[in-house]
Every structure is written in structure tokens, then in C-alpha cells.
């Protein structure tokens, strides 16, 4: 029987992200990270442009909105994060820590479709020292409670780590924080830069996983399932706390078989030594009316089920609602996953279902 690693090597490995265009704010080049990224871009032979603000890139090529969107997903903007007030990040953490915005993947269902709106390009922030100083302030404010920071609310920072090095800085910073913890989730397997770091068990790395049906139909531009699971094994071997996010959980013909097979593959691939400290986070598929309109423009052939007649409308905190599964369906999804996670991973914990 082939091993996971052999299955990966039998086909082309998912490559690292290389942008087609790179923009810099002038002030970004006053920071060592900005200069390092410029040197990297020059070594790659990438066209470099200057911009007055990382929030305003207006001259992207493309004859249509869809064409501009696709090039935006291949555009890197390097800037200074001026807002150092962190957003909350419930239920996964107390705060989101902002080291990057935007993602190179093309997941049809992603909430960044609407939260980033007309700015789907990828931004890396170079002033990580200031960002970490702000994090230290939040930790101090909440002492003696532990404060958790989520680094993947607006990006997939693992997919940018070969360019930014920002996760490595955060991991080693948080290793020294008695009351601080770092968390991030990824759909990419490029974790090698993180493996030799001093982390003191203060960083939990989670992998986003799903059934074959969901990955195949809705997650283009991401690492394959086998690649993610091999990377999860590396993370476990490096002593990091490990977790999985199953999201978005979808109701489709054969979902029971799909999610059972997912948990079965995970249980076979992971060493039992990681089971006691393993966590799961479960998030059902949801969308807003605005998101639906944007998704259909950007992925006109998507198979996403966004039939409002079959959904429940759930009001949000800010007066805007979203469509989720009706209570009966959501309950069946939750019960199924809780039951089989307990069966396959009896020592693991499920942090939440939402």
C-alpha cells in the first residue's frame, strides 16, 4: 500500500506562491523586512511598482472585472500596517493578529470574497515589531488570563511564509509570552520554515480539511489533502500542538460517506501520540446575499449550493444576516461529526460547532 508521502511524490507537488506583480509602499522599504522582500522579488525577476497606499491599487491589468480579479490574486502588495487595534476573533481566539491580508487560493466559498471586496490582492505588513508590541499590550491588559491570537483571519500566512518570515517571528515571540498563545490555520503544506523554531508549545497550528467532494470542487489553488496531512505529521513531530478545522461542512448527496472517509483517513495517517492534545473546530457552510452575488461573478460555473429557499436566515451582530443550514440539518451534521470524531479520536476535543 502506498504511503501518504509516496502518493504526493507520484504527482506534481503543489508549488509555492510566486506573484506576477509586486507593489511597495515607499515606507515599507524603510524596514528590514521590506528590503528583504524587495531583494527576493528582484531575484525572482518580478516587475516591481510603487504605490502610495497598500489599500489603493488601481492600475491592475485586465479587460474585465473577472480578469482583474484573477490578476489581483497574483499580486503582492508590501506595506506598513498603520492600524494596530486588533479585531476580535471569536470563537477561535480573543484577537486577530494582522500580519497579512488576502489569499492566493481560489476557494469558492471563502468569506474573504466579501470582506476584502474590491481589494482581493495580497498584502504583507513589514512592521511586525510594532504588531508584536501591540500584542504584548493586549496580553498585559488581560493578565492573568491567557490571550490567544489568530494569525489567519484575513489570510493564509503559511502560503506567504517563504516571502515574509512573519510567522516565524510571531512563533518565537509568543514562545516567551507566559500568557500569550498563537494560532493559525492553513490549507497549504509549506511548513518547513516553521519546523526548527523555538515555540515552547505556545503555538497551535491547525490544518483546514474537508471531504474529497469539497476539496475537489471548491478549493482550487490549495495543497492537496495528502500534502496537508503529511505537513500535519511534520508539525506534530516538531512538537507543536496540532488541530484540524473541518470547514465549511456541506450538506450534499453522500455527505455522510464523505466525512466518515475524511475522519478515517486522518485517523490512519496521524501518529497516536498526537491524539490526546488534538483539537477539532467545526464550521458549517454559510453565506450572505452579497457573498453569493460576488461568488457567482468570480466563479460563474461553481457548484456551490446557495439556494436561499433551503436555508435558514441567521441575523449577525452587525445587523447583516447570513444563510446557514436549517436547525434539523445542522443538528444532523453536528451529531454525525461529534459521534465519529469521538469514535476515531477519543482523546481529542471539539472546540466548537458553528
Amino acid at each position: 500500500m502506498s504511503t501518504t508521502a509516496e502518493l504526493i511524490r507520484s504527482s506534481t507537488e503543489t508549488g509555492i506562491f510566486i506573484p506576477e506583480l509586486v507593489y511597495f509602499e515607499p515606507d515599507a522599504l524603510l524596514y528590514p523586512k521590506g528590503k528583504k522582500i524587495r531583494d527576493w522579488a528582484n531575484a525572482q525577476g518580478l516587475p516591481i511598482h510603487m504605490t502610495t497606499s497598500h489599500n489603493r491599487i488601481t492600475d491592475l491589468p485586465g479587460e474585465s472585472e473577472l480578469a482583474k480579479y484573477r490578476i489581483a490574486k497574483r499580486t503582492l502588495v508590501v506595506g506598513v500596517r498603520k492600524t494596530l487595534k486588533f479585531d476580535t476573533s471569536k470563537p477561535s481566539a480573543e484577537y486577530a493578529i494582522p500580519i497579512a491580508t488576502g489569499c492566493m487560493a481560489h476557494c469558492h466559498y471563502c468569506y474573504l470574497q466579501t470582506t476584502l471586496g474590491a481589494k482581493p490582492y495580497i498584502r504583507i505588513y513589514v512592521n511586525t515589531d510594532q504588531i508584536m508590541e501591540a500584542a504584548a499590550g493586549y496580553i498585559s491588559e488581560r493578565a492573568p488570563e491567557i490571550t490567544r491570537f489568530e494569525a489567519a483571519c484575513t489570510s493564509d500566512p503559511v502560503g506567504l511564509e517563504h516571502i515574509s518570515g512573519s510567522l516565524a517571528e510571531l512563533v518565537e515571540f509568543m514562545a516567551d509570552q507566559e500568557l500569550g498563545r498563537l494560532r493559525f490555520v492553513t490549507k497549504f503544506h509549506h511548513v518547513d520554515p516553521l519546523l526548527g523554531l523555538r515555540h515552547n508549545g505556545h503555538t497551535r497550528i491547525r490544518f483546514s480539511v474537508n471531504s474529497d467532494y469539497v476539496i475537489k470542487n471548491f478549493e482550487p489553488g490549495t495543497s492537496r489533502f495528502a500534502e496537508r496531512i503529511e505537513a500535519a505529521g511534520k508539525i506534530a513531530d516538531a512538537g507543536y500542538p496540532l488541530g484540524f478545522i473541518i470547514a465549511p461542512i456541506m450538506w450534499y448527496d453522500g455527505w455522510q460517506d464523505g466525512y466518515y472517509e475524511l475522519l478515517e483517513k486522518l485517523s490512519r495517517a496521524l501518529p497516536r501520540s498526537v491524539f490526546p492534545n488534538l483539537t477539532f473546530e467545526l464550521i458549517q457552510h454559510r453565506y450572505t446575499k452579497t457573498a453569493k452575488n460576488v461568488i457567482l461573478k468570480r466563479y460563474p460555473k461553481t457548484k456551490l449550493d446557495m439556494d436561499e429557499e433551503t436555508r435558514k436566515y441567521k441575523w449577525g451582530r452587525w445587523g447583516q444576516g447570513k444563510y446557514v443550514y436549517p436547525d434539523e440539518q445542522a443538528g444532523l451534521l453536528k451529531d454525525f461529526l461529534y459521534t465519529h470524531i469521538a469514535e476515531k479520536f477519543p482523546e481529542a476535543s471539539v472546540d466548537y460547532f458553528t
Side-chain angles (χ1 to χ4, degrees):
M1 186 172 70
S2 297
T3 66
T4 301
E6 287 168 343
L7 290 172
I8 292 171
R9 286 190 287 271
S10 68
S11 56
T12 304
E13 184 176 349
T14 302
I16 59 172
F17 170 67
I18 305 293
E20 292 183 24
L21 298 172
V22 183
Y23 288 78
F24 285 86
E25 287 181 346
D27 285 354
L29 295 173
L30 301 177
Y31 292 79
K33 188 188 296 289
K35 294 174 183 176
K36 183 178 179 181
I37 295 174
R38 179 189 59 189
D39 292 344
W40 176 85
N42 281 325
Q44 299 292 326
L46 301 174
I48 293 176
H49 306 271
M50 302 303 294
T51 181
T52 56
S53 171
H54 65 76
N55 284 316
R56 185 171 173 79
I57 306 297
T58 59
D59 58 345
L60 291 176
E63 296 298 318
S64 65
E65 182 182 342
L66 183 57
K68 288 180 182 292
Y69 170 70
R70 294 194 177 279
I71 192 62
K73 297 282 276 184
R74 306 291 301 177
T75 297
L76 175 65
V77 183
V78 184
V80 178
R81 176 79 182 194
K82 297 178 178 63
T83 303
L84 295 176
K85 181 179 179 181
F86 295 179
D87 292 332
T88 57
S89 184
K90 296 292 186 180
S92 70
E94 279 69 51
Y95 296 104
I97 189 164
I99 57 172
T101 302
C103 181
M104 67 293 297
H106 279 272
C107 300
H108 295 190
Y109 50 74
C110 184
Y111 60 85
L112 296 181
Q113 301 286 356
T114 47
T115 55
L116 297 186
K119 303 172 186 175
Y121 45 82
I122 297 157
R123 284 164 274 183
I124 288 175
Y125 305 119
V126 297
N127 54 325
T128 42
D129 284 346
Q130 292 173 300
I131 292 167
M132 291 186 290
E133 184 179 348
Y138 282 106
I139 294 170
S140 179
E141 284 177 8
R142 296 188 74 253
E145 297 181 54
I146 286 176
T147 301
R148 300 168 301 165
F149 297 89
E150 174 63 66
C153 283
T154 57
S155 181
D156 190 320
V158 170
L160 297 170
E161 184 64 9
H162 61 290
I163 303 172
S164 73
S166 297
L167 281 177
E169 292 177 71
L170 288 189
V171 167
E172 297 203 323
F173 163 77
M174 210 63 72
D176 296 327
Q177 304 302 312
E178 182 182 356
L179 298 175
R181 299 291 185 272
L182 181 67
R183 298 159 60 80
F184 53 88
V185 61
T186 184
K187 289 188 179 81
F188 291 97
H189 72 287
H190 307 112
V191 298
D192 286 1
L194 307 175
L195 299 181
L197 301 178
R198 178 178 56 85
H199 57 76
N200 202 24
H202 287 187
T203 293
R204 183 175 293 275
I205 301 178
R206 298 110 78 217
F207 289 83
S208 178
V209 294
N210 220 308
S211 68
D212 286 343
Y213 171 84
V214 174
I215 292 175
K216 177 183 176 182
N217 288 294
F218 309 119
E219 296 186 358
T222 64
S223 293
R224 294 188 302 281
F225 178 83
E227 291 176 312
R228 298 180 209 178
I229 301 313
E230 185 184 33
K234 291 180 179 180
I235 288 300
D237 287 343
Y240 285 96
L242 178 67
F244 293 98
I245 295 184
I246 305 178
I249 304 161
M250 292 190 182
W251 185 285
Y252 60 91
D253 287 341
W255 65 265
Q256 296 99 326
D257 291 339
Y259 286 110
Y260 184 85
E261 182 184 8
L262 162 64
L263 295 172
E264 177 70 17
K265 287 191 292 187
L266 280 181
S267 67
R268 290 200 310 262
L270 294 172
R272 290 202 63 86
S273 59
V274 308
F275 285 23
N277 194 26
L278 195 62
T279 61
F280 286 87
E281 296 156 78
L282 309 177
I283 305 173
Q284 62 172 304
H285 180 236
R286 73 276 312 278
Y287 62 91
T288 64
K289 192 176 284 288
T290 302
K292 177 179 178 178
N293 293 335
V294 172
I295 290 166
L296 292 176
K297 284 181 182 177
R298 292 176 173 174
Y299 304 103
K301 296 182 180 179
T302 186
K303 295 181 180 179
L304 270 181
D305 178 6
M306 295 184 288
D307 181 0
E308 288 137 43
E309 296 299 317
T310 65
R311 296 293 185 115
K312 169 186 172 181
Y313 193 72
K314 181 179 179 181
W315 288 102
R317 284 185 302 167
W318 313 114
Q320 181 183 22
K322 62 190 71 174
Y323 292 95
V324 297
Y325 290 114
D327 292 346
E328 183 178 358
Q329 282 180 294
L332 289 170
L333 290 169
K334 179 180 180 180
D335 290 347
F336 182 90
L337 287 166
Y338 270 71
T339 297
H340 292 293
I341 288 171
E343 171 191 302
K344 303 288 184 187
F345 305 94
E347 300 162 293
S349 63
V350 179
D351 287 350
Y352 57 85
F353 175 96
T354 183

